[in-house]
């Protein structure tokens, strides 16, 4: 009887550890998503602003280290669009990973509940 | 009676607060509390950003015709100035974010800051509305919790 209880206890511990690990990754991913979301927003704002500009009227500079370097408008637009594409892709990846982790967490939660139940049944039988 | 609609992303959830137990209610309250703090923080940040844009616009409006003829004091540090003259008062260079700067004439620069101030103002309003809704839900939850506690107190002497 005791060995059975110990076995379940052990399983419970393993399950709990992996559950905690997924929780940790989850919060890390949420943070990452927030950051990406912010970057995406900022880049979109910049692109929006660039779309109003005219090549012959406005000069675009890019900050490289402490100095401003002249850039052509079309090139800058391309650059920012590329960034937006990249960030969107990263964001998508992040979201996909989050949904899979959510599913994993649900599974862990279910398993934990079952194990706990088993444990309480065994202790009640004693 | 205490039915509230909770807007979580896209899916609207209707929860009858009276059906939840105290533990669930306090968990919900905690969640709302942390959300409200986030709102408060972002409101403060947004207000700061709005202030910065407004200040830039204000100083642009100080630029008047013939300013290039006058001597100005340029701050080198917070407490040291050197006399100088602004060569070009028609154009300014604006930071539009992510390391990009754009040279604009005065009027379109003013327009830029006006747009930014309006934009940030809109976001502030949106968050204020959301925050108000959330705090109302929070109040409703607090009320339900106290009602439940009273019910429990009333039941206690009967059981014993």
């Amino acid at each position: 009887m005791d060995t059975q209880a110990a076995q379940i206890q052990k399983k419970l511990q393993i399950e709990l550890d992996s559950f905690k690990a997924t929780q940790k990754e989850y919060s890390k991913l949420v943070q990452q998503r927030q950051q990406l979301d912010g970057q995406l927003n900022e880049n979109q704002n910049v692109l929006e602003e660039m779309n109003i500009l005219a090549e012959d009227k406005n000069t675009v500079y890019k900050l490289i280290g402490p100095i401003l370097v002249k850039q052509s408008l079309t090139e800058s637009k391309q650059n920012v669009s590329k960034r937006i594409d990249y960030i969107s892709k990263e964001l998508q990846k992040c979201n996909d990973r989050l949904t899979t982790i959510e599913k994993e967490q649900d599974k862990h939660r279910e398993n934990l509940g079952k194990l706990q139940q088993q444990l309480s049944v065994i202790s009640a039988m004693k | 009676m205490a039915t509230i609609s909770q807007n979580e992303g896209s899916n609207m959830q209707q929860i009858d607060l009276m059906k939840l137990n105290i533990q669930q209610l306090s968990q919900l309250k905690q969640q709302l509390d942390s959300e409200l703090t986030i709102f408060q923080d972002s409101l403060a940040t947004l207000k700061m950003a709005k202030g910065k844009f407004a200040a830039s616009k204000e100083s642009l409006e100080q630029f008047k015709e013939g300013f290039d003829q006058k001597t100005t004091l340029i701050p080198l540090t917070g407490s040291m100035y050197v006399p100088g003259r602004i060569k070009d008062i028609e154009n300014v260079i604006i930071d539009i974010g992510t390391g990009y700067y754009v040279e604009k004439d005065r009027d379109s620069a003013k327009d830029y800051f006006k747009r930014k101030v309006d934009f940030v103002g809109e976001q502030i309003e949106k968050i204020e509305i959301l925050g108000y809704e959330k705090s109302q839900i929070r109040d409703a939850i607090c009320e339900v919790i106290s009602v439940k506690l009273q019910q429990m107190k009333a039941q206690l002497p009967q059981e014993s």
Side-chain angles (χ1 to χ4, degrees):
Chain A
M1 207 57 124
D2 270 350
T3 49
Q4 212 180 353
Q7 247 176 359
I8 291 173
Q9 192 77 276
K10 211 172 158 191
K11 268 192 203 161
L12 199 75
Q13 193 55 47
I14 292 167
E15 202 62 28
L16 202 67
D17 283 345
S18 48
F19 180 64
K20 272 186 189 152
T22 52
Q23 257 179 338
K24 218 172 170 183
E25 198 185 345
Y26 188 81
S27 62
K28 219 166 88 185
L29 277 168
V30 168
Q31 227 172 20
Q32 202 186 343
R33 187 176 65 179
Q34 236 167 24
Q35 204 191 347
L36 283 170
D37 208 37
Q39 281 174 341
L40 186 67
N41 252 320
E42 195 180 354
N43 276 294
Q44 270 165 347
N45 279 335
V46 172
L47 190 65
E48 215 174 279
E49 196 53 42
M50 279 178 177
N51 280 332
I52 312 173
L53 303 176
E55 179 89 67
D56 49 344
K57 249 180 88 187
N58 305 95
T59 326
V60 182
Y61 300 88
K62 192 179 174 193
L63 190 70
I64 302 173
I67 55 165
L68 290 176
V69 181
K70 226 180 226 176
Q71 300 268 306
S72 84
L73 183 60
T74 33
E75 202 183 314
S76 312
K77 271 189 202 169
Q78 272 168 8
N79 198 352
V80 178
S81 308
K82 233 187 276 166
R83 271 199 228 158
I84 289 176
D85 281 348
Y86 176 74
I87 295 169
S88 308
K89 261 182 217 152
E90 286 293 304
L91 205 62
Q92 188 57 46
K93 257 191 240 166
C94 207
N95 278 331
D96 288 348
R97 185 84 192 105
L98 273 174
T99 36
T100 42
I101 286 186
E102 254 169 60
K103 272 181 205 149
E104 266 175 48
Q105 268 185 335
D106 282 344
K107 222 193 270 168
H108 282 312
R109 223 171 267 144
E110 209 179 299
N111 284 344
L112 278 174
K114 267 188 210 158
L115 287 170
Q116 244 153 14
Q117 226 169 12
Q118 281 174 14
L119 206 64
S120 61
V121 165
I122 287 175
S123 60
M125 282 198 304
K126 263 186 220 170
Chain B
M1 50 175 274
T3 318
I4 47 133
S5 61
Q6 198 183 24
N7 200 348
E8 289 281 43
S10 54
N11 57 323
M12 289 278 278
Q13 269 180 292
Q14 289 258 332
I15 305 168
D16 189 359
L17 288 181
M18 289 311 274
K19 277 187 191 144
L20 298 175
N21 62 34
I22 287 182
Q23 220 171 19
Q24 284 169 315
L25 282 170
S26 60
Q27 210 177 3
L28 207 57
K29 182 176 162 280
Q30 243 171 25
Q31 197 189 326
L32 281 167
D33 275 340
S34 62
E35 274 174 40
L36 278 171
T37 351
I38 293 171
F39 279 168
Q40 222 87 89
D41 284 352
S42 27
L43 265 184
T45 322
L46 279 172
K47 274 183 184 153
M48 213 167 68
K50 194 182 170 188
K52 271 186 190 164
F53 284 131
S56 298
K57 187 168 168 278
E58 200 105 305
S59 51
L60 263 179
E61 255 144 38
Q62 301 289 317
F63 276 57
K64 295 208 176 72
E65 294 305 317
F67 238 52
D68 44 351
Q69 302 302 316
K70 286 183 185 153
T71 314
T72 17
L73 289 170
I74 318 289
L76 286 187
T77 66
S79 54
M80 184 168 70
Y81 297 81
V82 289
R85 198 180 280 165
I86 299 170
K87 219 163 112 191
D88 181 7
I89 59 162
E90 289 311 318
N91 294 299
V92 286
I93 295 173
I94 302 173
D95 180 1
I96 57 166
T98 67
Y100 278 107
Y101 289 70
V102 173
E103 191 174 303
K104 277 175 176 282
D105 60 55
R106 238 164 48 204
D107 285 329
S108 48
K110 270 186 217 165
D111 180 57
Y112 170 82
F113 287 122
K114 191 181 172 307
R115 269 188 291 126
K116 283 287 158 187
V117 170
D118 288 348
F119 176 74
V120 178
E122 264 171 48
Q123 306 304 312
I124 288 176
E125 258 173 53
K126 271 188 211 162
I127 291 185
E128 269 173 351
I129 291 169
L130 274 174
Y132 178 67
E133 277 173 14
K134 293 258 181 206
S135 65
Q136 273 195 325
I137 296 172
R138 203 192 82 101
D139 289 348
I141 289 172
C142 285
E143 216 172 289
V144 175
I145 288 177
S146 69
V147 168
K148 291 235 168 190
L149 279 177
Q150 250 159 16
Q151 278 176 355
M152 263 170 51
K153 260 188 209 155
Q155 272 170 4
L156 268 182
Q158 289 166 3
E159 280 170 8
S160 58

